[in-house]
Amino acid sequence: MAIKNVAIAGATGNSGSAILKALVDSNKFNVTVLIRSDSTTTPSFPESVSTRTVDYSKTETLVESLKGQDAVVSALNHAFLGHQHALLDASVTAGVQRFIPSEYGSDTLNAKAAKLPLFTNKLVEQKYVEDLAVQGKITWTLVITGPFLDFGIGYGFLGPNIKKRQITYLDGGNGKFSTTTLPTVGKAVVGVLSKPEETKNRAVYVQEAALTLKDLFGMAKKALGEDDWTEVDGGTTEEMEKASYEKLSKGQKDMGVMIGFLMSAIFREGYGGYFEHVDNELLGITEMKESEIVELIRGIARKQQAA
């Protein structure tokens, strides 16, 4: 199996734009971006990228857009994940060889994490693509990366909040978790598509670093200075998860509720947040040095100051 023609859905989101850039920069693939017909934005893409406008409610437009594609990469975000089912059906009809569902985060194959309501839709899609693969209709790969280190630090929910010069510890800040930057999420997808047989019908695990919140705080102080930081005890992930279940039972379903489940998936012991085994070598991924994480934090701080 050789993969040359690749279509991507959700190419303007956080993970999608990083994946698109990696696909283009690799010079290995002919890349097509699928654009929703009801999209209100007019993004620009590199000249080498083809675009197709699709209506996810009309199978024929999807199938026509996917004819000749060897692989389809879904980077649909949480709000549009409902379109993935139609995208997968159209991929099968069009004869696509490999489908990469929208994962790029926590280990949804972990038994405890899989029960969290945040991942319900992802599990439905996993089961569907696995069933299609058993029937010989398509192959798949899940890309599990842990939380996005650069995005998480930039928005202050993963480690140090740079603007407030504050670090909030969950579970004491000593739990180790796997994490990856957005550019390397893209590189991991390139690695999967470059090694289709080795990554066929399985999950691959990628980490650029395995850290604790206390590790990150130490690096933040190296990057931005030792003074004027506040350390906050954020309680336990067990308490946060319980609170999220209580809110959910009352009908609340926003991301403020789901964040409690996400924190369990990342930090809570037994939920798979730290990857015991990774596929870095297979996919050509190297782990970050501490000095590189320190510089990443400095770079994020500079961008925030300039904004």
Side-chain angles (χ1 to χ4, degrees):
M1 178 192 298
I3 292 176
K4 184 65 177 176
N5 299 322
V6 179
I8 177 171
T12 58
N14 293 310
S15 59
S17 57
I19 292 168
L20 175 62
K21 185 177 188 307
L23 290 171
V24 172
D25 289 350
S26 73
N27 292 315
K28 292 182 176 182
F29 310 104
N30 301 316
V31 182
T32 298
V33 170
L34 304 179
I35 302 173
R36 295 191 334 273
S37 59
D38 61 347
S39 176
T40 57
T41 61
T42 55
S44 60
F45 301 106
E47 290 184 4
S48 63
V49 172
S50 300
T51 59
R52 298 286 185 275
T53 301
V54 297
D55 183 340
Y56 284 96
S57 68
K58 296 180 180 178
T59 303
E60 63 273 14
T61 69
L62 277 173
V63 173
E64 190 62 32
S65 297
L66 297 179
K67 285 181 178 178
Q69 299 297 330
D70 301 313
V72 170
V73 178
S74 174
L76 296 169
N77 65 27
H78 193 76
F80 296 102
L81 195 59
H83 293 319
Q84 188 169 275
H85 203 87
L87 183 64
L88 179 51
D89 282 340
S91 297
V92 170
T93 302
V96 171
Q97 300 174 45
R98 177 63 52 86
F99 191 88
I100 299 181
S102 185
E103 288 282 338
Y104 325 114
S106 299
D107 184 4
T108 52
L109 299 183
N110 175 278
K112 291 182 178 179
K115 294 177 182 178
L116 297 170
L118 178 62
F119 303 128
T120 299
N121 292 337
K122 286 189 174 185
L123 292 178
V124 170
E125 294 304 313
Q126 283 177 19
K127 178 65 165 56
Y128 190 48
V129 74
E130 288 169 7
D131 289 345
L132 291 172
V134 169
Q135 299 171 46
K137 294 182 177 180
I138 203 163
T139 65
W140 56 272
T141 307
L142 305 183
V143 181
I144 310 295
T145 63
F148 307 143
L149 182 61
D150 44 354
F151 181 87
I153 293 175
Y155 282 86
F157 76 85
L158 189 66
N161 184 313
I162 294 173
K163 290 182 178 180
K164 295 182 178 180
R165 290 186 77 85
Q166 177 177 298
I167 179 78
T168 300
Y169 295 129
L170 296 175
D171 298 335
N174 294 309
K176 186 175 287 189
F177 62 96
S178 298
T179 181
T180 306
T181 62
L182 281 162
T184 297
V185 172
K187 292 176 184 176
V189 171
V190 169
V192 167
L193 297 175
S194 301
K195 303 229 175 137
E197 289 300 328
E198 296 93 330
T199 59
K200 179 180 177 181
N201 295 342
R202 72 178 185 93
V204 296
Y205 290 81
V206 177
Q207 72 175 29
E208 261 186 300
L211 304 166
T212 69
L213 288 173
K214 287 190 173 180
D215 291 335
L216 270 178
F217 184 39
M219 295 175 195
K221 289 192 290 185
K222 287 183 179 180
L224 305 174
E226 297 271 347
D227 299 332
D228 301 322
W229 287 93
T230 303
E231 297 179 65
V232 178
D233 181 358
T236 70
T237 50
E238 182 178 5
E239 292 167 345
M240 290 186 71
E241 185 181 324
K242 182 180 179 182
S244 287
Y245 272 116
E246 289 175 353
K247 292 175 183 177
L248 196 63
S249 70
K250 296 176 182 177
Q252 293 180 243
K253 295 182 179 180
D254 55 38
M255 278 308 296
V257 175
M258 294 301 169
I259 196 72
F261 301 127
L262 179 60
M263 294 300 100
S264 280
I266 296 172
F267 299 114
R268 192 170 177 185
E269 186 175 357
Y271 280 60
Y274 170 58
F275 306 154
E276 298 285 349
H277 304 286
V278 296
D279 294 285
N280 285 18
E281 185 175 354
L282 173 66
L283 302 177
I285 304 300
T286 56
E287 293 205 10
M288 298 178 77
K289 300 175 182 176
E290 179 178 316
S291 59
E292 292 174 316
I293 299 174
V294 168
E295 187 53 42
L296 173 70
I297 295 170
R298 285 197 187 110
I300 293 169
R302 285 194 292 267
K303 287 182 179 179
Q304 290 183 353
Q305 288 172 353

